[in-house]
Amino acid sequence: MKILLTGGAGYIGSHVLLSILENKHDVIVIDDLSTGNKSLIPENIKLINANINDSEKISAILVKENFDLLLHFAGFIKVEESVQNPDKYFKNNTDNAIKLFETCYKHNLKNIIFSSTAAAYGNPSNNESITENEILNPLNPYGESKVKTEEYLLNNQDKYNSIILRYFNVAGADPELRSGLISNTPTHLIKILSEVVIGKREKISIFGDDYNTKDGTAIRDYIHVSDLASIHLEAAKYLLDKKVSNIFNCGYGRGYSVLDVINTANELYDNKIMFEYDKRRPGDSEKLISNVDKLHQHINWKPKFDDLKLIIKTAVEWEKKINEKNL
């Protein structure tokens, strides 16, 4: 396969890049490095420094190269920021993505894997696990911006073959510590928890203790980033083989509360993690657990890292590494 990968210097994109290279596929990365980190791109990989709305630069690549598919990760992902600055999210996650897809279409690149989100579901009516058929009701502009891009792809199935992957909570780091999450203003629970473990911050704030859950804290389905990366490669094979559009949830089908995650980390790290309760954040869902039956029916994928302790350990080891390197 020859793959055009946007956002390859980001958290998930860089892990997918590792998976592409391990499977000996060809790849070119596009990233404007606005939120990505160049250190996550191996030196032998061609990196085009461009925004996804730069049709001229991207057209020049597409004229020169013959790609089998586009893997699109370049997007903003912070729920709280999207509530404060919705225009930024609709411009980048929707308008720029559509512009990118149209540029690809002009140059005969019609196979797309799109990185979407479980935030599309909002607070779903099914409180146990969510199928892809659940009514979409995003609670924040981040989720809404992704849904609008999904709608564009679904309304243009005559032009594109697309796989929409709705990620649940992505966490952890490459077990070989070649990549992980780098952020000066993290919002991911397990990233923040890792900073507490290594002494980079004092405590965690838990946003909301009055949700209708077993301990009052929000519940999420955490998937290891390397497992998520391997889903993309299998989804790519499926897309190129079947040439049909589809939507898949990406998770493990199991939920942990915020307190579950903190308690598990405290078992591993001798109760190092202090926390305090804060008020709920606008735009946060109460409970998001994936139903992944459809993914397993269609995609030849088995998780390798389905273990909350392992997810936390890899995140903490990565945090130690980047703290030493000052990234």
Side-chain angles (χ1 to χ4, degrees), residues 121 128-132 166-168 221 223 228 231 247-254 289-299 301 303 306:
Y121 297 117
E128 289 317 303
S129 68
I130 306 159
T131 71
E132 292 82 355
R166 292 184 184 142
Y167 308 159
F168 282 67
D221 182 343
I223 179 170
L228 179 67
I231 289 174
I247 301 170
F248 300 115
N249 286 334
C250 298
Y252 291 145
R254 187 182 308 109
I289 302 173
S290 66
N291 181 313
V292 283
D293 291 350
K294 187 179 172 192
L295 177 75
H296 288 294
Q297 281 161 17
H298 289 85
I299 304 288
W301 173 77
D306 180 3

Side-chain angles (χ1 to χ4, degrees), residues 222 224 227 252 254 256 303-308 310-311:
Y222 293 90
H224 192 285
D227 272 340
Y252 291 145
R254 187 182 308 109
Y256 295 99
K304 289 182 180 174
F305 307 108
D306 180 3
D307 178 337
L308 183 59
L310 179 65
I311 290 171

Side-chain angles (χ1 to χ4, degrees), residues 162-201:
S162 66
I163 301 290
I164 292 164
L165 297 178
R166 292 184 184 142
Y167 308 159
F168 282 67
N169 275 50
V170 189
D174 169 51
E176 294 175 41
L177 302 184
R178 294 166 296 175
S179 185
L181 181 55
I182 298 173
S183 172
N184 295 323
T185 54
T187 56
H188 294 65
L189 170 64
I190 290 177
K191 165 76 170 173
I192 293 167
L193 177 151
S194 301
E195 291 184 351
V196 176
V197 170
I198 71 158
K200 199 171 171 182
R201 67 167 78 208

Side-chain angles (χ1 to χ4, degrees), residues 105-120:
Y105 180 77
K106 274 182 202 162
H107 298 281
N108 211 34
L109 177 51
K110 300 172 184 176
N111 298 313
I112 296 170
I113 293 183
F114 174 56
S115 143
S116 193
T117 174

Side-chain angles (χ1 to χ4, degrees), residues 141-177:
Y142 162 61
E144 203 181 331
S145 68
K146 291 285 192 174
V147 168
K148 284 180 181 295
T149 311
E150 285 191 15
E151 285 169 354
Y152 172 81
L153 289 170
L154 295 170
N155 291 334
N156 288 277
Q157 291 186 52
D158 55 328
K159 291 170 70 173
Y160 307 101
N161 304 310
S162 66
I163 301 290
I164 292 164
L165 297 178
R166 292 184 184 142
Y167 308 159
F168 282 67
N169 275 50
V170 189
D174 169 51
E176 294 175 41
L177 302 184

